[in-house]
Amino acid sequence: MPNINWRDPQKLTPVHQRESRGGKISFSSGPAKTVRKRRRHLWKRMFKVLMPILAIGILFFALIAAAALFWISKDLPTADGVLKRNVTVSTKIYDRTGQTVLYDIHGNIKRTVIPLTDVPNYLKQAVITAEDRDFYQHHGFSPTGIIRSILVNITTGSKVSGSTLTQQFVKNAILTNEKTYTRKIKELLISYQIESKFTKDQILSMYLNEIPYGSVIYGVEAAAQSYFGKPTKDLTLAESAILAAIPNAPTYYSPYGNHKDKLLQRQRYILDSMVELNYISKEQAEAAKNEKLTFKPLKESIIAPHFVMYIKEILSEKYGENFINQEGLKVYTTLDLDKQKIAEEAVVKGVETNGAKYGFTNAALVSLDTKTGQILAMVGSADYFNEEIDGQVNVTLRPRQPGSSFKPIVYTASFIKGYTPSTIIYDTVTNFDTTGEKKYEPHNYHNDENGPVTLRQALAGSLNIPAVKLTYLTGMDNILNLAEKFGYTTFNDRSRFGLSIVLGGAEVKLLEHASAYATLATEGVKHEVNPILKIEDKNNKVIEEFKDKNEKVLDVEIARQTTDILSDDSARAYVFGAGSRLTLSGRPVATKTGTTNDFHDAWTLGYTPSLVCGVWVGNSDNAAMKAGADGSVIAAPIWNAYMTEALKGQAAEEFIDPQQVTTGKAVLDGIANSGLMVKIDTMSGKLATQYTPLSTTKEIATGEVHDILYYVDKDNPRGSIPAHPENDPQYYSWEAGVKTWAEKNNIITSGQPIPTAYDDIHLAGDQPQLNIISPGDKQTIKDSFITVDLQGSAARGVQKTEYLIDNQLIDTASGLTTKKILDLSELTNGYHTLTVIIKDDLQNTASKSIDFNLVAANPLPRLDWTSPIDGAVIENFPLSLKADLTNFDRIKQIDIYYSSTTSTKENFITTIRPQSDNFNFSWKKSPGSGNYIIYANIFNLNNKKYESAKLKIKI
């Protein structure tokens, strides 16, 4: 480039110096005309210098492009050879052992070539509508479609196709389904060749005879025969639109797959588009939409069909239809065939046993290895081949409402925020609507209220009202953030969800739901769900192999807190009973059920440290089941049957107990602030006296009674007690619920006076008098009955006489009955206590007791503790509990409990169904240091209950 000499600004006169508005100095060496002239001269000289360089650059890039195009084009087939297909090799899908073929995508391609004249016009029109509306106008490719796809790919990072029908034919018949720009160039070149060589109708004919329709079905004639059992020329408009819809994604839109509803949606879209293009009338389209479609039953040999179709869909998305159908892959899956058979049998039996009784026809089950995320069993419906229940729909992949089975996610999120399993919330009916627009007042399953409960009690008993309160306290974003970490994909539109999410107000997929529970089982480590161990090509080269992708998404102690609640059978016994189908004999297991409103869906999910199983029960069309069809009744038996068999022969695994959480804040540590406890007479409403009968005496809390919002700022629960709790929008609603509950239960709340007067209707002179004449105290009774003679009176008259043996009511009589014969045939031999009670109309009471020794000929069952001994000091756990049984063959079951000597709360340990005259049970979990009483409730064959002797121990 030549040197250009600019005039020295310092030599310019001041008159030529100008200051710009921006503060810079510009210079001029003369009038403006001279300056413009000099600039034009400069640009001409620069253009002469740069032009050769630019020309050389363009030529260089043109040569490179030509060379690239030549290299890409050198192996392209000619237009005359487009229908020559390579020999295909069978692709096989195996179980995890590689010994059993679940499905063989065999190489016998189904293809029958037919002339275009045998194809109905509306099928041609449907195909053009669905795939390429400008087919008869372009020359093999659409520049606008290519540009549009490039822009989308650049902006989104995806690889969207802008293919014409000709290009799709080339991609499927000649090239691979690989999404690269090199293959795209080849596709364009061949498409141009074909458009130059053949007419549009010839191209359409080749397309219709070659396009894949799924599996080994190629061409429209094979598709018509395979799916509808008829030749192409006999297809209806509705059936034609279906065949036009499938090639876009043959595996996804397969009539035998999990997306049949999406196939029908696409069919309707095509029909509506045909109306817009004036191919058919609106009336024809509506008639086609309403036509009942009958698909030919699938006759291919297939094991675990829902799982196989799931695998095919994954492979299709990753590698393309042609690759998986023709390249001889060996796909080794994670499926455990033994567990799959157990799962299928459990599902079928569950539907057969309870389906008619509770009004459901379908069920689904999925099971995962918690430590790897591998799918071990997948049953998408009760019968894959049953069209009446939409059996080919894989419900494990479908969003359904989970009911209360979503509660553990909410509770876990609350523990992260700072709440604890001991946190107290009032279970009282509450209206959560603060706008006055629409009342939202959820109720518990049994429409009861339990007053103050801990979060442990609320989750274990699946109480709805505390769960909704906890959702508010935790915050929707915190809950959904945790759900996303756990792997749920159905919560993207957060604006849809409100407080009812905890009761199942949002849909989840069973597979993702089970994976979330698996994350709790692994103490917060999420393993990505994986159904494939390895894929080999036809040359045995590994092209994909399982790698455990895991991530720590939850603190260990938080996960243990949730698991500890879900695995505590004694904590849920007050609702579900002890030893229900939610437990497994001899091994710890964490379990939760779910039931949606009006019984549309029922769930049970549960896990050991290494195995998780989720079960859904309901109807494919979402029809409601019969009342009472809750998860514990119809889903739990299926879950229990699978887990029992799947874990048979495996050693029991223990969960690790969480550390005790103490915050120093009473309401979070399980201490209710209920004020002074006083005893009142429920008949007079006044303070009880020594003459107030026990039956009318009630202990109540006085002073202030408040729900948790009085004590915590919901966004900082472990912070200071809020100075103005009323500023929380839910405060008054929650307090109103507590006040209403307290009034119904005669509990005096803040602002009400404490009673000062004493009971004045139960007086000393009105107290009844009673004596037992016979039998005498400590008398021996040899018969199976006892005759009781009484002497008694009451100033107001005796209204009722009650007879109790060992504190169990045996018989009653109106008025005073001086002689009564009581049946003793259900009693064990030994000493018993007889108590007689008489009452007047105000419940004034007199009672007397004596002991008698029964030595009847047929003694009833009895339990005698042999280990540990009474008063033993226990230092180590597990603790072996041993007992001898008398007449064990008359015992139906034995429920063992323990209680602290400082508390009246009963804690369930286990249920024994004796098989001999003794038992030995290992009590694994220590209740903590302290003095305890162990005892058993014995039930005979008639379900009559007897209580064993109490065994005192110190831990």
Side-chain angles (χ1 to χ4, degrees):
M1 180 180 292
N3 292 327
I4 300 172
N5 294 319
W6 296 97
R7 294 189 63 183
D8 186 350
Q10 295 180 357
K11 295 181 181 180
L12 300 180
T13 61
V15 73
H16 297 133
Q17 299 178 9
R18 297 189 179 95
E19 184 175 346
S20 72
R21 291 182 181 179
K24 295 182 179 179
I25 303 296
S26 62
F27 302 95
S28 175
S29 59
K33 184 175 182 182
T34 303
V35 174
R36 288 195 297 270
K37 189 174 182 180
R38 286 180 180 276
R39 287 176 177 170
R40 285 197 300 272
H41 179 69
L42 176 62
W43 283 112
K44 287 180 180 180
R45 295 183 66 183
M46 291 179 65
F47 182 74
K48 288 180 179 180
V49 173
L50 295 176
M51 193 57 193
I53 298 174
L54 182 61
I56 292 171
I58 292 173
L59 180 61
F60 177 74
F61 284 112
L63 289 173
I64 291 177
L69 190 61
F70 173 77
W71 181 81
I72 292 172
S73 304
K74 62 186 178 66
D75 296 324
L76 293 181
T78 64
D80 292 327
V82 293
L83 293 180
K84 293 181 180 178
R85 174 180 293 282
N86 292 329
V87 176
T88 61
V89 183
S90 173
T91 286
K92 292 181 172 62
I93 299 177
Y94 295 89
D95 72 337
R96 69 186 298 113
T97 67
Q99 301 298 312
T100 302
V101 177
L102 304 177
Y103 187 62
D104 188 348
I105 308 174
H106 49 81
N108 295 324
I109 287 180
K110 300 174 184 177
R111 186 200 291 116
T112 303
V113 178
I114 60 172
L116 195 60
T117 53
D118 283 354
V119 180
N121 281 334
Y122 43 71
L123 176 53
K124 301 175 198 174
Q125 294 162 349
V127 168
I128 290 171
T129 300
E131 301 295 341
D132 187 359
R133 300 185 185 188
D134 297 325
F135 173 66
Y136 284 101
Q137 282 73 48
H138 61 65
H139 298 287
F141 55 87
S142 170
T144 56
I146 294 172
I147 293 171
R148 183 170 57 252
S149 65
I150 291 174
L151 291 175
V152 172
N153 293 343
I154 291 173
T155 55
T156 66
S158 60
K159 293 186 177 179
V160 176
S161 171
S163 301
T164 64
L165 188 145
T166 308
Q167 289 173 263
Q168 292 179 51
F169 167 67
V170 171
K171 178 177 66 178
N172 287 286
I174 303 170
L175 302 176
T176 67
N177 209 26
E178 178 188 14
K179 293 182 179 180
T180 65
Y181 291 111
T182 301
R183 187 204 59 77
K184 194 70 176 178
I185 294 172
K186 290 182 180 181
E187 179 185 297
L188 293 173
L189 293 172
I190 298 176
S191 297
Y192 180 77
Q193 287 183 17
I194 289 175
E195 289 278 345
S196 302
K197 180 75 175 178
F198 300 104
T199 67
K200 287 288 186 179
D201 281 352
Q202 287 175 319
I203 295 171
L204 180 60
S205 178
M206 288 188 291
Y207 173 90
L208 290 171
N209 281 302
E210 185 67 22
I211 200 72
Y213 281 88
S215 187
V216 294
I217 305 169
Y218 286 84
V220 69
E221 180 68 10
Q225 294 287 357
S226 297
Y227 293 133
F228 297 112
K230 62 172 67 172
T232 304
K233 60 184 179 63
D234 294 337
L235 292 173
T236 66
L237 172 59
E239 293 166 342
S240 297
I242 287 288
L243 294 192
I246 292 175
N248 182 264
T251 296
Y252 183 86
Y253 287 123
S254 170
Y256 308 126
N258 189 45
H259 305 286
K260 186 176 177 181
D261 58 331
K262 302 296 183 184
L263 171 64
L264 296 175
Q265 287 179 19
R266 182 164 168 77
Q267 178 221 33
R268 295 185 185 100
Y269 163 75
I270 291 171
L271 290 168
D272 288 337
S273 298
M274 291 175 72
V275 174
E276 294 175 9
L277 296 173
N278 295 318
Y279 286 136
I280 59 175
S281 67
K282 189 172 182 179
E283 290 73 21
Q284 288 176 299
E286 292 304 316
K289 290 178 189 177
N290 294 323
E291 180 180 319
K292 182 175 180 177
L293 296 165
T294 303
F295 293 100
K296 189 177 176 182
L298 185 68
K299 294 183 178 179
E300 296 176 270
S301 176
I302 185 169
I303 299 173
H306 292 103
F307 179 74
V308 165
M309 293 302 175
Y310 174 56
I311 294 291
K312 278 196 65 185
E313 190 170 321
I314 292 173
L315 296 175
S316 175
E317 290 177 358
K318 188 177 291 187
Y319 298 108
E321 294 283 338
N322 284 353
F323 191 78
I324 66 170
N325 289 337
Q326 303 174 28
E327 292 302 316
L329 304 179
K330 295 177 183 176
V331 183
Y332 299 93
T333 71
T334 61
L335 193 80
D336 185 316
L337 200 53
D338 290 336
K339 288 183 173 61
Q340 177 69 19
K341 291 178 180 177
I342 293 170
E344 291 175 353
E345 290 173 1
V347 167
V348 170
K349 184 177 180 181
V351 174
E352 289 177 348
T353 302
N354 287 317
K357 181 179 179 181
Y358 288 101
F360 66 88
T361 58
N362 208 357
L365 180 153
V366 70
S367 179
L368 306 174
D369 181 335
T370 64
K371 298 176 181 178
T372 63
Q374 295 177 5
I375 299 176
L376 302 177
M378 176 183 278
V379 182
S381 73
D383 184 355
Y384 179 84
F385 299 99
N386 187 342
E387 288 278 346
E388 294 182 1
I389 64 169
D390 288 332
Q392 284 147 14
V393 173
N394 187 346
V395 183
T396 69
L397 306 177
R398 284 299 182 90
R400 303 288 300 222
Q401 289 195 345
S404 293
S405 67
F406 191 69
K407 285 177 181 174
I409 310 303
V410 174
Y411 279 76
T412 302
S414 79
F415 299 154
I416 294 172
K417 192 170 182 180
Y419 299 96
T420 75
S422 299
T423 296
I424 293 177
I425 290 181
Y426 270 80
D427 177 27
T428 56
V429 175
T430 304
N431 177 20
F432 291 91
D433 174 58
T434 59
T435 65
E437 295 178 358
K438 188 176 182 180
K439 187 177 183 180
Y440 178 51
E441 192 177 88
H443 293 262
N444 292 328
Y445 184 76
H446 294 294
N447 286 317
D448 57 347
E449 296 176 279
N450 295 280
V453 295
T454 65
L455 295 190
R456 169 181 288 275
Q457 294 168 324
L459 175 56
S462 199
L463 301 178
N464 290 337
I465 301 169
V468 176
K469 288 185 176 181
L470 191 64
T471 301
Y472 175 74
L473 294 171
T474 305
M476 192 60 61
D477 282 339
N478 292 322
I479 294 168
L480 296 179
N481 288 343
L482 180 62
E484 289 181 0
K485 286 182 180 180
F486 274 10
Y488 292 97
T489 61
T490 50
F491 300 130
N492 294 330
D493 183 5
R494 296 193 173 195
S495 63
R496 294 174 50 221
F497 308 121
L499 295 179
S500 64
I501 191 173
V502 72
L503 307 182
E507 298 82 9
V508 303
K509 297 177 182 177
L510 178 56
L511 179 59
E512 295 174 354
H513 208 22
S515 176
Y517 274 65
T519 301
L520 294 173
T522 54
E523 299 189 329
V525 178
K526 180 187 178 298
H527 295 268
E528 184 176 297
V529 174
N530 198 309
I532 297 174
L533 291 176
K534 183 174 63 174
I535 301 177
E536 295 177 351
D537 66 12
K538 58 188 173 187
N539 299 315
N540 296 323
K541 178 183 176 182
V542 176
I543 61 175
E544 181 180 322
E545 195 162 16
F546 169 75
K547 291 182 180 178
D548 182 11
K549 296 179 182 178
N550 61 76
E551 179 185 3
K552 185 72 174 176
V553 299
L554 186 64
D555 180 77
V556 169
E557 282 301 312
I558 299 296
R560 287 176 181 174
Q561 288 173 16
T562 303
T563 295
D564 187 56
I565 296 173
L566 298 181
S567 60
D568 188 351
D569 190 50
S570 62
R572 61 170 166 251
Y574 75 101
V575 173
F576 296 97
S580 69
R581 294 296 186 101
L582 304 181
T583 63
L584 298 176
S585 178
R587 69 174 73 240
V589 62
T591 327
K592 186 70 186 74
T593 64
T595 311
T596 56
N597 288 340
D598 300 323
F599 304 101
H600 288 279
D601 304 87
W603 304 70
T604 296
L605 290 97
Y607 54 89
T608 67
S610 61
L611 185 69
V612 66
C613 172
V615 173
W616 166 88
V617 176
N619 292 302
S620 299
D621 60 0
N622 203 35
M625 297 176 283
K626 295 178 182 178
D630 62 72
S632 64
V633 174
I634 60 175
I638 298 174
W639 175 88
N640 188 282
Y642 170 80
M643 292 291 280
T644 299
E645 285 298 312
L647 291 167
K648 184 176 287 186
Q650 298 183 27
E653 298 175 275
E654 298 286 338
F655 295 115
I656 299 176
D657 293 339
Q659 298 175 1
Q660 182 68 37
V661 180
T662 303
T663 68
K665 198 167 187 177
V667 72
L668 300 182
D669 293 339
I671 302 172
N673 185 11
S674 56
L676 178 68
M677 303 300 293
V678 298
K679 293 181 179 180
I680 65 167
D681 169 38
T682 58
M683 297 185 76
S684 65
K686 299 177 182 180
L687 292 172
T689 69
Q690 60 180 313
Y691 303 114
T692 304
L694 289 177
S695 60
T696 67
T697 300
K698 184 170 185 176
E699 190 174 42
I700 64 169
T702 65
E704 294 188 353
V705 178
H706 295 287
D707 211 340
I708 189 171
L709 285 176
Y710 183 84
Y711 304 105
V712 305
D713 174 356
K714 71 180 179 65
D715 294 323
N716 184 21
R718 298 197 184 185
S720 301
I721 294 176
H724 297 284
E726 68 276 5
N727 291 341
D728 189 292
Q730 287 285 341
Y731 176 78
Y732 287 112
S733 295
W734 293 23
E735 290 293 296
V738 171
K739 182 178 180 181
T740 300
W741 169 83
E743 290 173 349
K744 285 192 298 185
N745 289 273
N746 294 315
I747 295 175
I748 301 171
T749 60
S750 177
Q752 292 180 323
I754 298 175
T756 56
Y758 286 90
D759 177 12
D760 55 4
I761 65 173
H762 300 101
L763 306 174
D766 292 336
Q767 301 305 302
Q769 303 297 315
L770 175 67
N771 282 310
I772 299 177
I773 306 302
S774 68
D777 192 30
K778 304 294 190 298
Q779 182 176 328
T780 297
I781 306 297
K782 297 182 179 180
D783 297 316
S784 59
F785 61 90
I786 187 172
T787 302
V788 182
D789 290 333
L790 302 177
Q791 185 181 64
S793 64
R796 301 177 62 91
V798 176
Q799 186 181 58
K800 187 177 184 181
T801 304
E802 296 178 344
Y803 299 86
L804 296 83
I805 296 180
D806 299 332
N807 292 320
Q808 296 289 321
L809 183 64
I810 300 299
D811 207 346
T812 62
S814 298
L816 177 66
T817 302
T818 57
K819 186 182 291 285
K820 187 73 172 178
I821 299 175
L822 302 178
D823 182 13
L824 305 180
S825 61
E826 292 293 322
L827 296 182
T828 60
N829 280 353
Y831 276 94
H832 298 275
T833 299
L834 168 68
T835 301
V836 181
I837 300 172
I838 59 174
K839 300 177 180 180
D840 67 11
D841 59 329
L842 293 179
Q843 299 291 299
N844 288 309
T845 302
S847 68
K848 289 291 182 181
S849 298
I850 58 101
D851 292 333
F852 64 91
N853 182 22
L854 180 64
V855 289
N858 294 312
L860 288 180
R862 191 178 72 194
L863 181 150
D864 296 306
W865 297 106
T866 58
S867 178
I869 62 173
D870 193 45
V873 177
I874 309 300
E875 296 182 350
N876 298 311
F877 269 73
L879 173 63
S880 179
L881 297 178
K882 298 180 181 179
D884 288 338
L885 304 174
T886 301
N887 290 336
F888 77 90
D889 55 339
R890 303 188 68 184
I891 299 176
K892 184 177 183 180
Q893 74 177 53
I894 302 170
D895 292 342
I896 303 176
Y897 294 83
Y898 76 89
S899 65
S900 170
T901 56
T902 60
S903 171
T904 58
K905 180 182 177 182
E906 293 185 329
N907 300 281
F908 176 76
I909 300 177
T910 190
T911 293
I912 303 291
R913 293 179 174 84
Q915 302 297 317
S916 65
D917 58 3
N918 60 68
F919 71 79
N920 183 353
F921 172 75
S922 180
W923 184 11
K924 296 181 179 180
K925 189 173 181 180
S926 171
S929 300
N931 295 306
Y932 294 92
I933 297 172
I934 303 172
Y935 59 95
N937 287 334
I938 308 164
F939 295 87
N940 69 7
L941 299 179
N942 295 323
N943 289 320
K944 185 174 179 61
K945 184 177 77 173
Y946 308 94
E947 188 172 303
S948 75
K950 289 181 168 57
L951 179 65
K952 297 178 181 178
I953 62 171
K954 181 177 181 180
I955 299 176

